[in-house]
Amino acid sequence: MPSQLYALCDCNNFFVACERLRHKELAGKPAVVLSSNDGCIVARSEEVKKLGIKMGTPYFSVERLLAYHKVEVFSGDLVWYKEVSNRVMTELARFTDRIEIYSIDEAFLNLAIASIRDKTAYARTIRGAIRDRVGVPISIGVARTKTLAKLAADRAKHDVSGEGVFNLEEYPDLDALLANTPVQEIWGIGRKSAQALARFGVKTALDFCRCDDLWIRKHFTVRGLMTAWELRGQPTGAFGEETEEPEKRKSIQVMRSFGNPAYDFEELAEPVMHFVVSAARKLRNQGSRAGSLCVYIRTSHFAKNRYANTDTVALKTPAANDTELLHHALEALKRIYRPGFAYRKAGVVLSRLCDDASLQTSLFDIDDTETNGNAVKKIASAKRARALKTIDALNRELHGPKILPAALFDSPKKRQDWKPKREHEHTQKPDTN
DNA sequence: TCTGGGGTCCTAGGACCC
DNA sequence: TCTGGGGTCCTAGGACCC
């Protein structure tokens, strides 16, 4: 047994599977799930894949084709998908001592456990358990590195006879498999790198494996090099060490495309303020403060009259309260706003995050917005922090932002029609599980 | 008419210092 | 006024992922 062995468990057509869980009548019928604002297709049932519709296709461009084939269309519901994801991950965790949740629908399981003798049979057991107890189909790839496990899981998905499990350790000819894998299908090699590699005549995973280490390092950075080692069967990272505590985010962003474009400053300020409040809440939930705030606005990529800009504010003292972050965001927005454009998207990024508890506040840098700090303000600031905690707790209990800063109600042109489109909501059946 | 959102990591290059 | 190199730290931007 190799010293490391991974099982990558990957849910099939995950968002569609989630919709089928609560709409039983959808079984065997074609369905797609749309991204925010009903923009792109982000999940397709097998029937839809056979129609040749690609991941990320703009919905408007295939709307009639989908209607013709009587495809069910859903506006995405991330809250529900996360709930199903939790069920899957909880069940998967029962089968291993170490699990690394990689995305909403994927996890790496440690399989280098001596008592598990037949790894392939074990993977089939896992797959059956998720299907029976959660109701979601998954594919499992087994290999000695994560990159190879990803490749194996891909095979598992397309291999009809293998019961959704592909164990690379038992595969007789790895070179042949790599020679049949286009370089762009490798985990970590994206469009740009694939184009660059093609110019050097590197077309398959096997070609890439056989490249010189220094050459790879030079042209594709250390990450490219790690990928090459992993393809050769040499693991480059240990298993995710601490699994008990979820890692804190290093940056927090909230960005949305608008259902309808915004033109004047007030129209744009309204969504931006909502994004700030939402990001700040996430920030406080993980016990952090932000040292930097970035505001981002742009027209459609496809508009004739295009404009995009960002403004980043470095905060002298990291902040986590709505008032202060809103103040900086609006100042930033003023600097980049230009009249005469149809704005389609805006966003807020909080970065340079630090631990709230570890922060040492001096008397003189209480608040970035107040230059002549004094003890009274410090007390006010502490009170405000307590009030925010209460509001955050209430909002959690009420399952959504029911209590918002007054600034959000002051806007003279409150329209709300920037909110993303959701024209494919289906009446939700109560969850029977 | 209509093209997602939220992350991570790496690197180059500028600012600053000695 | 002209002359240097090398280190560190930070940030913007790119590439990638799902």
Side-chain angles (χ1 to χ4, degrees):
Chain A
M1 184 170 72
S3 61
Q4 294 187 32
L5 194 67
Y6 297 94
L8 173 64
C9 305
D10 191 350
C11 299
N12 301 346
N13 316 330
F14 183 57
F15 294 171
V16 167
C18 292
E19 293 299 346
R20 281 177 170 166
L21 254 191
R22 59 179 181 182
H23 298 280
K24 304 288 184 201
E25 74 281 4
L26 276 179
K29 292 192 183 154
V32 296
V33 175
L34 305 180
S35 67
S36 166
N37 215 25
D38 294 341
C40 294
I41 290 171
V42 290
R44 307 152 293 157
S45 68
E46 293 304 325
E47 302 81 6
V48 176
K49 287 181 186 174
K50 283 189 188 132
L51 291 177
I53 291 171
K54 299 264 184 286
M55 180 76 168
T57 305
Y59 174 55
F60 76 88
S61 68
V62 289
E63 192 173 353
R64 294 171 64 147
L65 179 65
L66 294 180
Y68 177 80
H69 289 281
K70 300 197 162 48
V71 176
E72 290 287 337
V73 179
F74 292 84
S75 296
D77 179 0
L78 260 298
V79 175
W80 169 240
Y81 307 156
K82 277 182 187 146
E83 157 70 28
V84 178
S85 174
N86 286 341
R87 294 182 198 173
V88 171
M89 298 307 169
T90 306
E91 195 59 38
L92 284 177
R94 291 162 23 94
F95 288 91
T96 183
D97 57 344
R98 279 176 300 172
I99 178 170
E100 196 177 302
I101 297 169
Y102 176 67
S103 74
I104 194 166
D105 70 337
E106 281 172 76
F108 290 99
L109 271 55
N110 175 38
L111 235 53
I113 299 171
S115 59
I116 308 170
R117 289 217 294 275
D118 185 340
K119 316 290 186 192
T120 308
Y122 193 74
R124 288 202 184 110
T125 307
I126 298 174
R127 185 167 177 273
I130 306 301
R131 182 191 55 219
D132 298 342
R133 296 185 199 157
V134 187
V136 169
I138 69 171
S139 302
I140 301 181
V142 178
R144 59 181 66 199
T145 68
K146 290 182 181 176
T147 306
L148 287 173
K150 288 281 282 187
L151 220 62
D154 259 6
R155 295 287 153 150
K157 265 190 196 180
H158 301 117
D159 181 14
V160 212
S161 62
E163 299 171 54
V165 171
F166 190 97
N167 185 348
L168 214 45
E169 289 294 299
E170 291 175 351
Y171 194 72
D173 194 351
L174 179 58
D175 277 4
L177 187 144
L178 292 175
N180 278 320
T181 304
V183 78
Q184 202 177 336
E185 284 176 20
I186 304 168
W187 188 39
I189 306 287
R191 192 172 47 91
K192 289 277 183 182
S193 300
Q195 281 171 1
L197 284 164
R199 273 182 252 122
F200 291 107
V202 177
K203 301 223 165 86
T204 70
L206 187 63
D207 294 340
F208 186 63
C209 272
R210 292 182 171 166
C211 288
D212 175 65
D213 276 2
L214 287 177
W215 181 83
I216 296 176
R217 172 69 182 78
K218 183 174 167 221
H219 293 281
F220 302 95
T221 81
V222 289
R223 307 182 73 170
L225 187 55
M226 299 295 113
T227 299
W229 287 3
E230 289 241 322
L231 281 177
R232 297 172 193 150
Q234 177 68 50
T236 58
F239 214 92
E241 270 86 16
E242 55 272 57
T243 42
E244 326 78 42
E245 276 289 302
E247 291 262 305
K248 286 190 177 183
R249 303 253 169 264
K250 293 170 184 170
S251 71
I252 290 171
Q253 36 187 308
V254 177
M255 51 181 64
R256 296 272 181 285
S257 291
F258 305 150
N260 295 287
Y263 294 91
D264 58 33
F265 184 82
E266 283 74 21
E267 282 176 329
L268 199 49
E270 188 185 325
V272 167
M273 288 194 293
H274 274 90
F275 301 162
V276 171
V277 171
S278 161
R281 188 177 306 117
K282 291 182 192 181
L283 184 71
R284 294 191 295 270
N285 280 346
Q286 70 162 33
S288 300
R289 291 177 176 230
S292 170
L293 177 152
C294 171
V295 175
Y296 161 83
I297 54 173
R298 72 145 217 240
T299 61
S300 164
H301 274 315
F302 310 94
K304 280 198 186 116
N305 200 14
R306 262 172 294 189
Y307 173 70
N309 209 346
T310 63
D311 188 275
T312 304
V313 184
L315 279 66
K316 289 194 202 85
T317 307
N321 74 76
D322 289 343
T323 321
E324 197 176 339
L325 294 170
L326 280 167
H327 166 81
H328 288 298
L330 286 175
E331 291 301 313
L333 184 59
K334 278 180 201 163
R335 285 190 288 271
I336 53 177
Y337 171 77
R338 302 283 179 275
F341 292 101
Y343 293 96
R344 276 267 163 208
K345 185 176 181 178
V348 170
V349 185
L350 303 178
S351 51
R352 288 171 56 199
L353 307 190
C354 62
D355 220 339
D356 194 12
S358 71
L359 187 77
Q360 301 293 313
T361 323
S362 91
L363 268 182
F364 303 102
D365 56 12
I366 293 154
D367 193 319
D368 247 17
T369 60
E370 300 160 20
T371 45
N372 53 344
N374 56 40
V376 176
K377 280 180 182 161
K378 186 167 186 177
I379 292 164
S381 164
K383 273 190 180 170
R384 203 161 54 201
R386 273 204 303 280
L388 276 174
K389 260 189 189 165
T390 312
I391 291 171
D392 284 343
L394 272 171
N395 281 333
R396 267 196 299 275
E397 266 175 45
L398 299 169
H399 298 293
K402 301 293 189 313
I403 300 177
L404 296 168
L408 296 190
F409 299 101
D410 292 343
S411 170
K413 287 203 170 189
K414 193 163 145 52
R415 308 181 312 151
Q416 297 274 326
D417 67 356
W418 56 269
K419 291 200 169 168
K421 269 190 288 194
R422 294 184 61 82
E423 287 169 357
H424 297 276
E425 280 201 274
H426 292 224
T427 36
Q428 291 182 10
K429 307 253 169 78
D431 177 25
T432 49
N433 225 342

